[in-house]
Amino acid sequence: YESMFQLPKSWSIARTYDEFYVFDRFLRQHFGNAQPFALLPDRKMMCSRSQAFLESQRQHMEAFLNVIA
């Protein structure tokens, strides 16, 4: 019975860079410099789809969320 109500150890939610960008702009408009925001990584116009690149971007986005959480 208890195992039915245990939360997962981690969550995974897919988001696009544009969604992070819009969220970042929203926070900056409403809170200005009151919150020490993490910087989003640069958007690469010709971005690589290699595992290493995608993992690097994932880590940057996770750091962004951890700072604002």
Side-chain angles (χ1 to χ4, degrees):
Y1 180 75
E2 281 183 22
S3 64
M4 290 175 40
F5 298 103
Q6 290 179 348
L7 294 175
K9 293 182 182 185
S10 66
W11 294 84
S12 179
I13 300 172
R15 294 286 179 244
T16 65
Y17 183 91
D18 288 342
E19 289 174 296
F20 278 94
Y21 180 81
V22 168
F23 185 52
D24 177 69
R25 294 298 163 241
F26 172 84
L27 291 174
R28 290 177 190 279
Q29 278 184 331
H30 287 82
F31 299 105
N33 292 327
Q35 177 71 21
F37 296 111
L39 295 176
L40 288 175
D42 290 337
R43 184 175 187 163
K44 310 288 188 216
M45 295 306 286
M46 301 296 288
C47 65
S48 167
R49 294 290 180 210
S50 72
Q51 274 306 111
F53 173 78
L54 294 175
E55 178 61 18
S56 171
Q57 291 296 87
R58 186 197 64 74
Q59 289 174 359
H60 280 94
M61 299 302 181
E62 188 173 328
F64 171 79
L65 292 174
N66 286 335
V67 167
I68 63 173

